[in-house]
Amino acid sequence: MENATTEKEKKDFFDEDNGILFMKNWNPILRWILVLPGAIIGSLLMRTPFTFIATKLENIEILMWIVDALGQIVAIMAFVGYGAAIAPKGRKVIAIILAVLALAGTSVLWFVDPERYNITTTYKIVSMVGTLIGAAWGYSLHLKSNTLK
């Protein structure tokens, strides 16, 4: 019985097509407009606790990197997954587009002056790997979606 309750709680936020349930009756134009802002807000909300914890762990460097990597994975998953869930249709395509945007944004780190912005090579690698894993995870949320039509 507990498993049925957990399944019901998990489905309350998303509809049967992996869209956001409370947005189901919203105007499609408004939903298209909200895809990128919603993806960014969802990503920031998911990333904030990890950033806070990572700053508290500055003295324990390996834990800081692990928490930072997990934060990157979860943030990009939210960016891709929630952004695609906001879209009224074509969620798989939107998830791919958002994943490419996330990877492009993370790739910019490789061209930033490391001295000026205090960005290490380790941070660049952790960010890129976290982005790849998070993008794949976010896309996988929409594999069962029938909205590619």
Side-chain angles (χ1 to χ4, degrees):
M1 188 66 183
E2 184 180 315
N3 194 15
T5 305
T6 306
E7 185 66 28
K8 172 77 172 116
E9 290 171 5
K10 190 168 77 172
K11 281 299 209 181
D12 282 346
F13 191 71
F14 296 101
D15 62 17
E16 65 280 350
D17 227 7
N18 293 328
I20 297 178
L21 188 62
F22 72 86
M23 296 180 113
K24 192 171 191 163
N25 296 324
W26 288 23
N27 184 336
I29 295 171
L30 179 61
R31 288 180 71 175
W32 281 119
I33 292 170
L34 292 174
V35 166
L36 194 56
I40 292 169
I41 291 168
S43 177
L44 290 173
L45 288 175
M46 297 297 277
R47 175 72 179 185
T48 302
F50 290 96
T51 303
F52 177 76
I53 293 168
T55 57
K56 298 298 180 192
L57 296 172
E58 279 184 350
N59 296 334
I60 311 169
E61 192 169 342
I62 189 70
L63 282 179
M64 182 188 72
W65 288 117
I66 291 170
V67 170
D68 194 52
L70 290 174
Q72 184 74 7
I73 291 168
V74 170
I76 298 302
M77 179 280 303
F79 181 78
V80 173
Y82 290 154
I86 292 170
K89 59 182 176 178
R91 292 192 179 102
K92 290 178 189 175
V93 174
I94 297 302
I96 291 170
I97 291 169
L98 291 172
V100 169
L101 280 173
L103 289 167
T106 306
S107 297
V108 168
L109 288 175
W110 291 98
F111 303 105
V112 171
D113 180 19
E115 299 290 323
R116 183 173 182 190
Y117 294 102
N118 196 22
I119 296 175
T120 63
T121 302
T122 307
Y123 180 77
K124 292 176 185 180
I125 293 169
V126 166
S127 294
M128 188 56 83
V129 170
T131 300
L132 286 168
I133 294 169
W137 185 13
Y139 177 75
S140 73
L141 297 174
H142 297 283
L143 288 179
K144 295 179 183 176
S145 177
N146 296 321
T147 57
L148 187 59
K149 303 172 192 166

